[in-house]
């Protein structure tokens, strides 16, 4: 009996107009599931479509095709008030802590915004709820309540964003590179905060990042995206110890070692070349232009995402086996 | 009382500079004398031939008299009404027309933006003087028509400013966050977009008021604004320019009034923009 799924994304396609009637497939045919209480790390290079996937799940960008099933309702089929009501159960935190907060509003109003939208609370109860949430995220409410976003540091802004997102007690939290814009020491604080809040509020998370070390820390499973497609997905242990897709292997080996003298330089796989353009992607396997194992078939046929062991799926004609 | 003191302390701490306060003082003075012109101990601005014409400055007529013996200071003060009403009124109308459509175009994008923006571009390409002249010709040279005409001409410019400000605000993540929280479109527009667009707009609005005042002065110089005997600054320059031989300094007063007023408004706009421009990123 598999654990209950909170989110099911099926064949998600997001397109953007690229001028002259052309369309860019920012996300093509992405499917995955998220079990309750799990954290899925969504990783990939800049421009691979991971943020777009996050926003498409939230319906902030409407997907062109596919379905997003959240707790039994397909979000792509609802709109207006209905969508807003169901979507309360999921929230999103963005990368840029400053841009996430309206510069013209004060902290107390920013965090109370979800309450103001959904319920008409007495000012006292509203005040208590905001103060309580500030405690949860480590902000001293009394001393900061009247400040505006530009008076906070990046880490504090991110705490405010988290507080605002949790105000509606969501079940799913999408974190779109929440720590990429922060100092390393602050990153650790925010990640710890997220971990604590996750268990306290019983959250499931999608954690979008390009930093594999950050993802390793927090995820129970990981999915790698390349040019709008998922090329490998596995639980966290398998992913980091036994990657099967050449791209995953290259990504993992590109993580800098604190002490390079401890490991030999041989056997390291390095990626060469640039990320191909999404406007004009390569035929067949999207990764073949940079793959050291590329063969003729890779240019002809696009590999399907197939399960090679329990919970471990790879889209590659020649997966690496150990 | 404490609140008033704190307010002034805060104003002082902003360090806006002497130029700013001089400008504010001048604009305030003009507005006050325009409002209370009837209560001031001034000769009737329209009563001709009560004094000799083309007098120089004297105690009875501080700025002298014009070609038909009307008190120049009185005409200057009553004339400021036309400038201020047209200047602020037309831009207010421009904000209502251009601002509202600009926010909608910038926020919704796509077909809404395309149609509204096309309209604005066509409007901007249309010879604006002809538009104003047509309106004046068919509707008469009343204060209302002049104000509306200049307001209509100004609205596509305001539309463009508001549209582009909205576009940049709408792409910010706090707007996406607000949508994700479940805010309705009207709430997003009112709470997230409008306050941020208003900042950008406010600086532009002051400059636009200056331009509108100059436009009215240009029209009245050509005799196309509110008809005589109502005093207007532009008409006073026109009168004085034909009397240069008899009264060589008469033209100075309305010209200075125009110059100081428009300059002051621009200085205020510029300082406000510098002090209250949107500060977001100190990272």
């Amino acid at each position: 009996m598999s654990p209950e799924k909170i989110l099911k994304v099926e064949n998600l396609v997001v397109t953007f107009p690229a001028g002259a009637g052309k369309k860019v497939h920012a996300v093509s045919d992405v499917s995955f599931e998220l079990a309750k209480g799990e954290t899925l790390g969504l990783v990939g290079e800049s421009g691979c479509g991971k943020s777009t996937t996050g926003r498409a799940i939230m319906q902030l960008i409407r997907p062109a095709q596919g379905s997003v099933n959240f707790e039994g309702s397909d979000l792509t089929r609802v709109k207006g008030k209905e969508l807003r009501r169901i979507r309360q159960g999921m929230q999103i935190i963005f990368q840029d802590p400053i841009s996430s907060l309206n510069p013209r509003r004060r902290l107390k109003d920013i965090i109370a915004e979800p309450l103001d939208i959904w319920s008409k609370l007495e000012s006292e109860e509203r005040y208590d709820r905001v103060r309580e949430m500030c405690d949860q995220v480590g902000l001293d409410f009394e001393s900061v309540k009247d400040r505006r976003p530009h008076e906070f540091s990046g880490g504090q802004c991110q705490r405010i964003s988290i507080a605002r997102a949790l105000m509606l007690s969501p079940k799913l939290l999408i974190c779109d590179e929440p720590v990429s814009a922060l100092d390393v020491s602050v990153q650790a604080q925010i990640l710890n905060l997220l971990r604590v809040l996750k268990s306290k509020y019983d959250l499931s998370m999608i954690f979008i990042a390009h930093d594999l070390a950050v993802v390793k820390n927090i995820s129970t499973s990981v999915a790698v995206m390349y040019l709008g497609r998922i090329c490998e997905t596995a639980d966290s242990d398998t992913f980091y110890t036994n990657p099967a897709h050449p791209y995953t292997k290259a990504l993992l080996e590109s993580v800098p070692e604190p002490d390079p003298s401890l490991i030999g330089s041989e056997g390291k796989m390095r990626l060469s070349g640039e990320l191909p353009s999404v406007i004009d992607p390569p035929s067949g396997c999207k990764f073949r232009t940079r793959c050291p194992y590329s063969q003729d078939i890779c240019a002809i046929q696009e590999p399907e995402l197939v399960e090679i062991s329990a919970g471990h799926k790879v889209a590659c004609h020649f997966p690496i086996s150990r | 009382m404490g609140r008033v003191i704190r307010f002034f302390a805060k104003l002082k701490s902003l360090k806006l500079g002497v130029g700013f306060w001089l400008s504010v003082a001048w604009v305030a003075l003009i507005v006050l004398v325009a409002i209370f012109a009837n209560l001031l101990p001034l000769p009737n601005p329209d009563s001709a031939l009560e004094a000799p014409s083309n007098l120089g400055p004297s105690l009875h007529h501080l700025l002298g008299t014009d070609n038909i013996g009307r008190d120049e200071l009185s005409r200057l003060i009553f004339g400021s009404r036309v400038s201020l009403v047209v200047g602020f009124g037309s831009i207010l109308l421009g904000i209502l027309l251009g601002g509202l459509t600009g926010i909608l175009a910038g926020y919704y994008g796509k077909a809404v933006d395309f149609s509204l923006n096309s309209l604005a571009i066509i409007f901007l390409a249309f010879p604006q003087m002809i538009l104003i002249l047509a309106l004046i010709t068919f509707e008469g040279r009343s204060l209302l028509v002049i104000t509306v005409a200049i307001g209509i001409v100004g609205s596509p410019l305001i539309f463009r400013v508001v549209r582009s400000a909205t576009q940049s605000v709408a792409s910010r993540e706090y707007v996406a966050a607000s949508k994700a929280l479940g805010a309705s479109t009207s709430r997003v527009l009112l709470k997230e977009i409008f306050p941020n667009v208003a900042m950008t707009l406010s600086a532009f609005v002051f400059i636009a008021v200056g331009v509108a005042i100059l436009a009215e002065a240009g029209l009245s110089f050509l005799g196309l604004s509110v008809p005589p005997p109502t005093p207007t600054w532009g008409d006073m320059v026109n009168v004085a320019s034909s009397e240069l031989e008899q009264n060589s300094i008469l033209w100075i007063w309305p010209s200075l009034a125009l110059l100081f007023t428009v300059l002051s408004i621009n200085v205020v706009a510029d300082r406000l923009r510098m002090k209250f421009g949107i500060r977001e990123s100190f990272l």
Side-chain angles (χ1 to χ4, degrees):
Chain A
M1 178 73 202
S2 62
E4 203 183 332
K5 304 291 182 205
I6 187 166
L7 181 76
K8 243 186 225 175
V9 176
E10 274 165 2
N11 309 100
L12 194 71
V13 177
V14 181
T15 56
F16 291 118
K22 275 192 170 182
K23 274 185 179 165
V24 172
H25 282 63
V27 176
S28 32
D29 204 18
V30 163
S31 306
F32 61 84
E33 293 180 341
L34 184 66
K36 239 178 195 148
E38 264 194 48
T39 300
L40 173 71
L42 200 54
V43 299
E45 285 170 90
S46 310
C48 71
K50 53 193 195 300
S51 288
T52 309
T53 306
R55 286 171 192 238
I57 292 171
M58 286 296 293
Q59 307 296 312
L60 291 174
I61 301 168
R62 283 293 194 157
Q65 285 168 41
S67 67
V68 175
N69 214 302
F70 176 67
E71 292 197 307
S73 28
D74 185 355
L75 292 182
T76 56
R77 288 175 189 282
V78 293
K79 57 182 182 181
K81 200 153 189 184
E82 176 79 357
L83 171 66
R84 300 210 301 271
R85 192 180 57 74
I86 300 172
R87 199 167 50 185
Q88 284 181 69
M90 49 208 280
Q91 281 305 316
I92 185 163
I93 299 169
F94 298 102
Q95 173 174 9
D96 184 344
I98 305 287
S99 172
S100 303
L101 308 174
N102 186 339
R104 307 232 50 84
R105 305 187 78 183
R106 296 175 194 283
L107 172 125
K108 56 179 182 191
D109 296 322
I110 291 174
I111 297 183
E113 176 72 4
L115 297 176
D116 295 344
I117 293 172
W118 288 106
S119 51
K120 297 274 174 283
L121 287 181
E122 294 295 315
S123 64
E124 203 159 301
E125 192 188 346
R126 176 177 178 268
Y127 185 86
D128 287 343
R129 291 272 310 269
V130 174
R131 191 176 46 198
E132 196 184 320
M133 187 53 78
C134 281
D135 286 347
Q136 297 289 336
V137 299
L139 289 165
D140 178 21
F141 179 66
E142 291 302 329
S143 65
V144 296
K145 61 180 178 184
D146 285 320
R147 296 209 196 147
R148 292 211 162 87
H150 68 83
E151 296 173 84
F152 291 101
S153 70
Q156 281 175 315
C157 283
Q158 214 54 306
R159 285 172 196 271
I160 298 169
S161 290
I162 294 169
R164 175 177 60 186
L166 293 182
M167 214 61 196
L168 294 172
S169 321
K171 302 192 175 89
L172 171 67
L173 188 63
I174 298 174
C175 303
D176 185 1
E177 306 222 25
V179 297
S180 310
L182 307 174
D183 290 345
V184 178
S185 58
V186 182
Q187 281 192 1
Q189 290 170 15
I190 298 293
L191 288 175
N192 277 332
L193 176 67
L194 282 173
R195 199 177 297 122
V196 169
L197 293 173
K198 177 180 181 302
S199 59
K200 191 175 248 168
Y201 287 86
D202 203 15
L203 293 169
S204 311
M205 294 208 306
I206 294 177
F207 195 93
I208 301 166
H210 60 254
D211 185 339
L212 286 163
V214 166
V215 171
K216 187 177 188 174
N217 227 305
I218 202 160
S219 309
T220 46
S221 57
V222 182
V224 181
M225 285 186 75
Y226 188 80
L227 282 193
R229 275 158 211 274
I230 290 187
C231 50
E232 178 163 13
T233 164
D235 64 78
S236 213
D237 286 341
T238 316
F239 181 83
Y240 283 95
T241 54
N242 196 11
H245 198 286
Y247 180 57
T248 312
K249 194 166 157 57
L251 278 183
L252 286 172
E253 290 183 352
S254 71
V255 176
E257 293 288 336
D259 185 356
S261 63
L262 287 180
I263 44 153
S265 60
E266 298 141 60
K268 276 244 173 190
M269 197 174 122
R270 301 233 177 265
L271 279 187
S272 57
E274 291 287 313
L275 194 67
S277 159
V278 258
I279 298 174
D280 188 19
S283 65
C285 175
K286 303 294 172 238
F287 184 56
R288 70 176 166 83
T289 52
R290 298 162 82 188
C291 181
Y293 309 117
S294 167
Q295 311 265 335
D296 290 347
I297 186 173
C298 299
I300 301 160
Q301 196 187 342
E302 183 160 7
E304 301 261 326
L305 194 64
V306 290
E307 194 154 18
I308 55 167
S309 63
H312 189 181
K313 293 181 184 172
V314 180
C316 181
H317 292 300
F318 307 100
I320 303 161
S321 53
R322 216 178 29 168
Chain B
M1 194 62 205
R3 185 170 276 190
V4 176
I5 294 172
R6 251 179 290 144
F7 177 71
F8 278 104
K10 193 177 176 198
L11 277 186
K12 206 175 169 197
S13 72
L14 286 174
K15 295 201 176 76
L16 288 158
V18 182
F20 175 81
W21 291 114
L22 281 177
S23 303
V24 170
W26 176 261
V27 175
L29 178 75
I30 296 288
V31 171
L32 283 177
V33 296
I35 292 172
F36 298 110
N38 289 330
L39 305 177
L40 295 174
L42 292 167
N44 187 336
D46 300 332
S47 60
L49 306 173
E50 279 185 9
S53 56
N54 289 326
L55 278 182
S58 67
L59 267 183
H60 279 287
H61 304 281
L62 287 177
L63 300 181
T65 58
D66 71 359
N67 60 339
I68 49 175
R70 295 175 297 190
D71 182 71
E72 187 73 1
L73 178 64
S74 178
R75 289 187 67 73
L76 207 57
I77 285 174
F78 280 89
S80 67
R81 288 180 163 182
V82 172
S83 287
L84 291 178
V85 167
V86 172
F88 286 95
S90 65
I91 298 308
L92 197 68
L93 179 72
I95 291 172
L96 287 179
L97 284 175
L100 206 65
T101 48
I103 282 195
L104 294 179
Y107 183 74
Y108 284 106
K110 295 180 184 157
V112 179
D113 183 44
F114 180 77
S115 42
L116 286 173
N117 193 38
S118 307
L119 203 65
I121 291 175
I122 293 169
F123 236 120
L124 284 172
F126 198 85
Q128 313 199 327
M129 205 56 182
I130 292 176
L131 192 69
I132 293 176
L133 291 182
L135 270 169
I136 292 169
T137 311
F138 290 113
E139 300 295 328
R141 288 155 55 187
S142 72
L143 192 59
L144 181 69
V145 172
I146 303 289
T147 306
V148 168
I150 294 179
I152 288 176
V153 165
S155 59
L157 283 171
I158 292 175
F159 167 85
R160 297 280 293 184
V161 170
V162 171
R163 170 178 173 263
S164 77
T166 307
Q167 281 171 341
S168 94
V169 170
S171 65
R172 308 310 293 261
E173 279 155 345
Y174 55 81
V175 174
S178 175
K179 284 186 210 164
L181 289 168
S184 59
T185 303
S186 55
R187 191 179 175 92
V188 172
L189 287 175
L190 207 66
K191 293 263 177 179
E192 312 291 338
I193 307 245
F194 176 72
N196 288 293
V197 171
M199 286 311 297
T200 315
L201 181 61
S202 66
F204 179 75
V205 158
F206 276 100
I207 292 168
V209 167
V211 174
I213 289 176
L214 285 180
E216 189 281 330
L219 285 176
S220 61
F221 181 82
L222 297 173
L224 295 169
S225 184
V226 188
T230 309
T232 65
W233 290 350
D235 183 52
M236 289 166 70
V237 176
N238 181 31
V239 167
S241 68
S242 58
E243 297 289 322
L244 276 177
E245 277 175 37
Q246 283 77 38
N247 192 344
S248 55
I249 56 167
L250 193 62
W251 64 274
I252 290 179
W253 314 118
S255 306
L256 280 185
L258 263 176
L259 174 71
F260 284 153
T261 305
V262 175
L263 184 65
S264 298
I265 288 172
N266 285 351
V267 169
V268 169
D270 201 46
R271 294 255 102 192
L272 286 182
R273 187 182 52 73
M274 278 163 64
K275 285 289 172 186
F276 299 111
I278 304 170
R279 281 175 294 177
E280 287 179 13
S281 178
F282 281 143
L283 278 183

